[in-house]
């Protein structure tokens, strides 16, 4: 009872303090920074939700946390500095009073955050229009901002209670802020405190993973700051003692350190057992974890899978039934691979439960499961469930397999425990009725087999290639058709985006690219067979794009409407989309590869990037193309030239693995995407201009030779030497 | 209420010894004046009594148990005015007293606050922000919060500092009235403050108790050691202290205390102040 009355008067007092009002008003202003210069959520994708909800809320998170941490230091220090404590400490327990003081600051902060959410609501509604997402708005303010501000208050109070010095506490808090913003933790959602990791915001494909990781990390920080705060309560100075004696005396209230350590334990548990990112190495392993035995000991005739994703929790539950013939007369241990986030719930062989081993040896996206298969004909049933995990190498972008109400993306090992011997596979997938699944492989048909009474629909996939189901994307897709003289194309985009896409005449842009490439290089291989398919995949699954037979898959950020509507001077470049369509020529039509690719960067990416530049130049003008392509390549190449590790690669091995991987990855991609295009541009000048180069490229494209085009082939066709194309 | 100070020593962590072997019982009702020069250990003793400090040696009992084990009971019955304190400037006088009443857990706080404001002559400042109060008014707010809720133990460290003479008299009366059913411990370095109201005086000097008894006993002890001399001594004489210079018809005379009065002095009845000076002077000579 008395605690509540302390809380009442403390809160009343805080609300009468001018400094509180200053902090509150500045906190209310902080989101404005998200409109003006603080853009952490739109570095990769300028979505409406990112621009108008996430950026302001993250700016508010940062500003509010700093302000309320400072307010906390001020309020806690002032009672000693101005000697109010000499009146109050003798009549109430300092522990109770300090607790109610901190709690009243938490209440005041909550009021400020709720006010901020209400204040910015009308403008946000106006800016986001049809893309308004109320759930995300609540998440941004109440799920990210509020807990972060709270943890700031608790940490500030804890530090002050330990040190009893404002400036030292402020220095420690600043160090924590700097650490949280440093590159060491930039890709680790759990370690970022004041700047939660929001690598993207999706307007059309949902934000479940960012919301889940955001809430999870906030809970972790709340736990840690609360435990530190609890631990600091015994340190409140008493009887004129210093830190040590006060703390020892305070710890006689054993429940304080006990609860603190329990919470710290929970925090560690949460850190170690986070369910979102797997524990693979960060560098992509070019070898698969799936062993390919040369002498098969068994055959798998068939697998039948039923998958039931739970889109609300982002998990799935599945059953895979394998028809196996074990050729040996004894048990055989076979290895299956599946997504690291799943667990096997049960394995039966001919109805009997059999043992299995989850090796938990995460590599890339998958881990191995060992199952002991009895001899003869076996019906093996594996039940599995869980949340698919993001590959550790992509932990900074949080992209990958996802089950969410708006979007589902599945790759090979995310469907079921995969095995490469499977002759024939069939998969039943039950999805919310508005989600329409499309496979990236044109020959994997996806058929609706039943409409269920619970608002779901069941789809069936029967791939022509054994148990390989390719990649599957499901969203509320509609198909926009484009016809040109030679080629027709169909573009699958979310229904919600249809109006915006039609307004910018996306079909015309596609047609332009298709016509440019057919006219300059010739018809692509898919033209005779049918349509080119373009699939828009959500940014929760990936950033960028890729191409397979007759299909180019591009992520949401590629299609961002601003790209197409903005004038040439201010626009983001549409190059990823053009790039991925061009891959139907360079890459799929003609592959470019070389034994020396690892060192000279020669690959399909070089010519694709060059062609993209040519199309952009034709559509948007020379100046735009120079700024968005050539200048970018040049600055990347210059960066590489000055890069210490590029010049002295022997030092690379001395770096920790994750940094070495990052450096190597960026060196490779700069070679492929910037250095090689610059060399082709140089060749263009040397052979006598664009028309000459187009002729040479057409010659290469229409050459009947099925081998990949090597760098030497290209040089021969140009009549140039390797030295002639060396960059200055 | 019954408090017993037993052989209490207090040495601060910087090595400064503030109290050495203090013992005294405190019982209600009583109004005790704690007198001594600055630095004698008065504030330290008071902080020990409110459990703001813990003694280095010895112990303070509340009833039969150590004070530290009865902190809750102590806090519930305590009104304390420290020598220096701060107020929340952003609050009005009423809001501040309401804040303190909540901390003290006073039921029917409104009536208690009105009473405390009336007794400290603050009723007219009820809605005034503390920021705008004068030094004397702030001191009165400090006293008001101490007497708020009529605590059984009232400990006031230099309560009348900064008050004008008329207010001092008011507060003397107030404390004297309050002491009828409780322990009031009042520290001061001005003997005048306690002269008329205290039934007991404790004189502290350099961390030890020089005297503990009634004012009459203190005066009695100085009997025969106070005198008047007609004129200023030519040069500083050893052996006596001038306690006052008085302008009389005959010119300036001096009131002196001494172990042995000089022959030129005419013995007079000691006042409490004389007695106090005598005691301190005697101690300092040692
Ligand atoms: Zn590419």
């Amino acid at each position: 009872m008395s605690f509540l009355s302390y809380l009442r008067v403390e809160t009343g007092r805080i609300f009468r303090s001018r400094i509180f009002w200053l902090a509150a008003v500045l906190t209310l202003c902080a989101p404005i920074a998200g409109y003006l210069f603080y853009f952490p959520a739109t570095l990769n994708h300028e979505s409406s939700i990112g621009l108008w909800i996430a950026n302001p809320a993250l700016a508010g998170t940062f500003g509010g946390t700093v302000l309320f941490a400072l307010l906390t230091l001020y309020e806690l220090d002032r009672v000693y500095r101005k000697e109010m404590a000499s009146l109050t400490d003798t009549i109430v327990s300092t522990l109770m009073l300090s607790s109610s003081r901190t709690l009243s600051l938490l209440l005041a902060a909550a009021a400020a955050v709720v006010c901020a959410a209400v204040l910015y609501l009308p403008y946000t509604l106006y800016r986001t229009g049809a893309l308004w997402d109320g759930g995300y708005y609540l998440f941004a303010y109440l799920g990210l901002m509020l807990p972060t501000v709270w943890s700031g208050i608790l940490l500030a109070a804890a530090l002050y209670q330990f040190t009893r010095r404002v400036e030292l506490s402020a220095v420690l808090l600043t160090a924590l802020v700097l650490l949280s913003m440093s590159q060491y933790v930039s890709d680790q959602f759990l370690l970022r405190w004041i700047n939660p990791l929001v690598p993207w915001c999706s307007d059309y494909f949902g934000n479940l993973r960012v919301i889940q990781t955001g809430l999870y990390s906030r809970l972790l920080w709340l736990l840690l700051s609360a435990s530190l705060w609890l631990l600091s309560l015994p340190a409140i100075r008493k009887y004129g003692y210093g830190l040590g004696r006060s703390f020892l005396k305070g710890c006689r209230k054993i429940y304080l350190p006990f609860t603190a350590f329990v919470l710290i334990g929970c925090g560690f548990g949460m850190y170690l057992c986070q369910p979102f990112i797997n524990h693979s190495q960060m560098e992509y392993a070019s070898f698969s974890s799936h062993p390919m035995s040369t002498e098969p000991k068994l055959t798998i005739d068939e697998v039948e899978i039923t998958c039931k994703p739970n889109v609300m929790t982002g998990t799935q539950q599945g059953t895979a039934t394998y028809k196996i013939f074990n050729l040996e007369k004894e048990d055989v241990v076979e290895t299956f691979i599946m997504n690291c986030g799943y667990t096997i719930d049960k394995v039966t062989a001919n109805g009997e439960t059999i043992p299995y081993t989850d090796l938990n040896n995460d590599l890339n996206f998958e881990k191995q499961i060992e199952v002991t298969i009895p001899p003869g004909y076996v019906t093996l049933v594996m039940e599995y469930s869980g949340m698919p995990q993001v590959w550790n190498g992509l932990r900074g972008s949080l992209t990958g397999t996802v089950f969410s109400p708006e979007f589902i993306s599945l790759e090979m090992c995310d469907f079921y425990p995969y095995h490469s011997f499977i002759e024939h596979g069939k998969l039943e997938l039950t999805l919310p009725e508005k989600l329409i699944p499309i496979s990236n492989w044109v020959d994997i048909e996806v058929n609706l087999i039943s409409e269920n009474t619970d608002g779901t629909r069941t789809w069936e996939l029967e791939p022509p290639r054994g148990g390989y189901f390719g990649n599957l994307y499901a969203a509320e897709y509609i198909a926009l058709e484009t016809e040109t003289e030679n080629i027709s194309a169909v573009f699958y985009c979310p229904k919600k985006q249809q109006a915006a896409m039609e307004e910018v005449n996306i079909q015309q842009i596609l047609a332009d690219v298709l016509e440019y490439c057919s006219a300059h290089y010739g018809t692509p291989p898919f033209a005779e067979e049918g349509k080119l398919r373009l699939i828009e995949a959500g940014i929760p699954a990936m950033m960028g794009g890729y191409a397979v037979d007759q299909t180019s898959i591009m992520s949401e950020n590629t299609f961002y409407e601003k790209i197409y509507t903005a004038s040439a001077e201010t626009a983001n470049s549409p190059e990823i989309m053009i790039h991925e369509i061009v891959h139907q020529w360079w890459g799929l039509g003609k592959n470019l590869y070389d034994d020396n690719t690892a060192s000279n960067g020669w690959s399909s990416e070089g010519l694709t990037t060059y062609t993209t530049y040519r199309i952009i130049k034709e559509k948007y003008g020379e100046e735009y193309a120079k700024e968005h392509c050539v200048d970018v390549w040049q600055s990347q190449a210059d960066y590489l030239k000055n890069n210490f590790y590029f010049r002295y690669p022997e030092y690379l091995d001395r770096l920790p693995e994750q940094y070495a991987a990052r450096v190597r990855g960026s060196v490779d991609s700069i070679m492929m995407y910037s250095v090689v295009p610059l060399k082709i541009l140089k060749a263009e000048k040397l052979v006598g201009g664009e028309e000459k180069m187009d002729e040479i490229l057409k010659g290469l494209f229409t050459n009947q030779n099925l081998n990949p085009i090597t760098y030497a082939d290209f040089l021969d066709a140009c009549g140039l030497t390797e030295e002639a194309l060396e960059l200055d | 209420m019954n408090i017993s100070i037993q052989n209490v020593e207090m040495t601060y962590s910087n090595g400064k010894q503030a109290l050495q072997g203090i013992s005294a019982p405190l019982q209600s009702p009583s109004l005790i004046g704690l007198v001594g020069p600055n630095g004698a250990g008065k504030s330290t003793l008071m902080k020990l009594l409110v459990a703001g400090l813990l003694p280095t040696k010895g112990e303070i009992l509340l009833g039969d148990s150590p004070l530290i084990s009865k902190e809750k009971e102590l806090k519930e019955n305590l009104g304390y005015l420290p020598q220096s304190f701060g107020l929340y400037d952003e609050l009005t006088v009423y809001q501040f007293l309401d804040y303190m009443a909540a901390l003290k857990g006073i039921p029917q706080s409104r009536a208690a606050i009105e009473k405390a404001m009336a007794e400290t002559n603050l009723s007219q400042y009820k809605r005034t922000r503390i920021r705008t109060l004068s030094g004397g008014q702030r001191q009165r707010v400090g006293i008001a919060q101490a007497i708020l809720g009529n605590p059984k133990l009232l400990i006031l460290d230099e309560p009348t500092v900064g008050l004008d003479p008329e207010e001092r008299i008011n507060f003397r009366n107030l404390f004297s009235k309050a002491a009828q059913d409780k322990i009031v411990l009042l520290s001061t370095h001005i003997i005048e403050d306690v002269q008329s109201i205290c039934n007991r005086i404790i004189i502290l000097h350099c961390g030890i108790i020089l005297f503990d008894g009634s004012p009459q006993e203190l005066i009695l002890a100085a009997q025969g050691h106070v005198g008047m001399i007609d004129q200023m001594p030519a040069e500083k004489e050893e052996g006596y202290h001038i306690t006052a210079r008085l302008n009389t018809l005959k010119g300036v005379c001096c009131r002196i205390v001494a172990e042995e009065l000089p022959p030129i002095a005419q013995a007079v009845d000691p006042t409490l102040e004389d007695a106090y000076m005598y005691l301190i002077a005697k101690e300092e000579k040692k």
Side-chain angles (χ1 to χ4, degrees), chain B residues 19-31:
Chain B
L19 295 175
Q20 341 178 9
I22 300 276
S23 293
L26 312 175
Q27 278 134 348
S28 60
S30 59
L31 203 170

Side-chain angles (χ1 to χ4, degrees), chain A residues 2 5-6 8-10 12-14 16-18 75 78-79 82-94 97 101 238-241 249, chain B residues 13 50-54 68 71 75-76 78-82 84-91 95-96 98-100 102-104 129 131 142 145:
Chain A
S2 58
S5 65
Y6 300 170
R8 173 182 72 81
V9 288
E10 270 295 332
R13 194 180 64 64
I14 294 280
R16 291 185 183 107
S17 141
R18 286 181 186 180
E75 279 292 339
R78 125 185 224 242
V79 299
K82 297 238 172 124
E83 297 185 284
M84 291 84 165
S86 58
L87 290 182
T88 55
D89 286 0
T90 50
I91 51 171
V92 291
S93 136
T94 46
L97 194 57
R101 192 166 289 144
K238 273 193 104 176
Y239 309 128
Y241 290 164
K249 252 201 150 57
Chain B
S13 55
V50 301
L53 295 173
L54 292 186
I68 186 74
E71 236 186 295
K75 285 182 190 308
E76 279 165 4
L78 177 67
Y80 174 53
L81 177 73
S84 71
F85 60 89
L87 304 170
Y88 288 111
D89 282 345
E90 66 268 27
L91 301 183
Q95 285 164 353
F96 178 74
D98 182 44
Y99 176 86
M100 294 305 287
L103 298 198
K104 290 183 165 194
R129 291 223 182 270
R131 185 179 298 123
Q145 66 81 28

Side-chain angles (χ1 to χ4, degrees), chain A residues 183-188 191 271 280-284 392-393 395 652 654-666:
Chain A
Q183 56 154 340
Y184 305 108
V185 301
S186 63
D187 60 351
Q188 301 185 59
L191 297 183
Y271 179 78
S280 164
Q281 62 185 48
M282 294 194 67
E283 198 166 1
Y284 189 81
N392 198 20
R395 65 189 184 186
L652 205 51
R654 301 190 189 174
L655 280 181
E657 183 235 344
Q658 66 181 91
Y659 298 109
R662 222 179 279 172
V663 172
R664 254 181 235 122
S666 72

Side-chain angles (χ1 to χ4, degrees), chain A residues 205 308-311 315-316 400-411 415 429-432 435-438 471-477 537-538 540-541:
Chain A
F205 293 89
K308 289 202 174 71
N310 180 341
V311 296
T315 57
Q316 86 148 329
T401 291
V402 65
F403 300 107
S404 69
E406 301 85 358
F407 180 53
I408 280 170
S409 142
L410 276 162
E411 291 179 15
F415 289 97
L429 183 67
T430 302
L431 298 178
L435 298 184
I436 296 156
I438 301 171
N471 295 352
L472 188 84
Y473 303 105
E476 203 175 352
Y477 280 123

Side-chain angles (χ1 to χ4, degrees), chain B:
Chain B
M1 178 157 271
N2 197 335
I3 295 172
S4 165
I5 304 168
Q6 297 184 341
N7 294 315
V8 163
E9 281 185 22
M10 181 68 207
T11 308
Y12 286 102
S13 55
N14 61 10
K16 190 191 157 214
Q17 194 174 26
L19 295 175
Q20 341 178 9
I22 300 276
S23 293
L26 312 175
Q27 278 134 348
S28 60
S30 59
L31 203 170
I32 304 158
L34 186 61
V35 192
N38 287 330
K42 303 191 295 288
S43 292
T44 303
L45 180 59
M46 289 189 144
K47 282 181 191 160
L48 288 167
L49 283 170
V50 301
L53 295 173
L54 292 186
T56 325
K57 256 191 205 159
E59 100 185 309
I60 299 175
L61 301 179
L62 178 63
D64 299 325
S65 323
L67 188 67
I68 186 74
S69 67
K70 292 191 135 186
E71 236 186 295
K72 194 163 179 289
E73 193 189 322
L74 173 76
K75 285 182 190 308
E76 279 165 4
N77 292 300
L78 177 67
Y80 174 53
L81 177 73
Q83 193 173 12
S84 71
F85 60 89
L87 304 170
Y88 288 111
D89 282 345
E90 66 268 27
L91 301 183
T92 64
V93 170
Y94 184 87
Q95 285 164 353
F96 178 74
L97 292 176
D98 182 44
Y99 176 86
M100 294 305 287
L103 298 198
K104 290 183 165 194
I106 295 171
Q108 277 110 38
S109 58
R110 176 175 286 272
I113 296 165
E114 296 287 355
K115 181 165 173 269
M117 284 195 301
E119 285 174 340
T120 51
N121 224 346
L122 281 169
S123 297
Q124 54 179 317
Y125 300 109
K126 185 175 174 180
R127 286 182 225 291
T128 308
R129 291 223 182 270
I130 288 173
R131 185 179 298 123
T132 61
L133 297 182
S134 71
Q137 289 162 339
R138 293 172 78 94
Q139 185 71 12
R140 274 148 59 192
V141 175
I143 296 170
Q145 66 81 28
I147 63 173
L148 191 61
N150 204 17
K152 290 194 188 126
L153 175 63
L154 199 54
I155 295 182
L156 305 157
D157 199 349
E158 305 269 6
T160 53
V161 164
L163 299 183
D164 61 40
E166 195 188 339
E167 284 172 335
R168 281 185 180 202
I169 293 165
N170 282 342
F171 278 109
R172 275 181 221 158
N173 295 336
L174 176 65
F175 300 147
S176 147
K177 213 165 74 194
Q180 281 164 11
D181 57 348
K182 64 186 71 158
I183 302 175
V184 178
L185 182 66
L186 197 71
S187 88
T188 181
H189 61 282
I190 308 166
I191 194 82
E192 205 187 318
D193 271 345
V194 290
Q195 189 160 10
S196 51
I197 53 170
C198 291
N199 53 15
R200 181 170 165 196
I201 289 177
I202 296 174
I203 296 177
L204 261 185
H205 186 254
C206 294
I208 52 170
I209 292 179
L210 283 189
F211 174 85
D212 183 356
S214 67
Q216 292 73 26
E217 287 167 335
L218 182 60
I219 290 170
L220 213 58
Q223 192 76 51
H225 300 289
V226 183
M228 295 284 279
I229 46 179
D230 284 346
Q231 71 236 34
M232 284 287 288
E235 53 200 61
K236 197 167 165 65
E237 292 274 347
E238 284 293 312
Y240 64 88
H241 273 260
I242 297 166
T243 61
R245 288 186 179 81
L246 303 167
N247 285 307
T248 66
L249 287 172
K250 287 182 267 176
V252 178
C253 11
C254 290
R255 201 174 170 95
I256 60 163
V257 293
E259 193 57 49
E260 248 172 74
L261 288 174
I264 53 159
Q266 184 188 343
V268 292
D269 282 345
T271 63
L272 196 62
E273 177 143 24
D274 296 329
Y276 171 67
M277 286 304 291
Y278 168 66
L279 205 63
I280 297 288
K282 195 166 95 178
E283 186 61 24
E284 274 174 358
K285 207 178 262 174
K286 282 185 192 169

Side-chain angles (χ1 to χ4, degrees), chain A residues 545-546 579-580 583 604-605 608-609 673:
Chain A
Y546 68 96
H579 179 109
E580 299 306 340
H583 267 316
S604 306
E605 300 304 339
T608 303
T609 306
Y673 291 92

Side-chain angles (χ1 to χ4, degrees), chain A residues 164 179 234 247 304 394 418 436 450 571 588 619 670 676:
Chain A
R164 214 23 208 286
L179 193 68
F247 188 70
E304 276 188 26
L394 289 173
Y418 177 78
I436 296 156
S450 72
L588 289 161
K619 267 188 85 68
I670 292 171
V676 173

Side-chain angles (χ1 to χ4, degrees), chain A residues 120-141:
Chain A
Y120 289 91
L121 183 63
Y123 185 66
T124 312
L125 280 169
Y126 162 70
R127 294 309 304 234
T128 53
L131 298 176
W132 162 254
D133 183 340
Y136 193 88
Y137 193 77
L138 284 180
F139 158 71
Y141 280 93

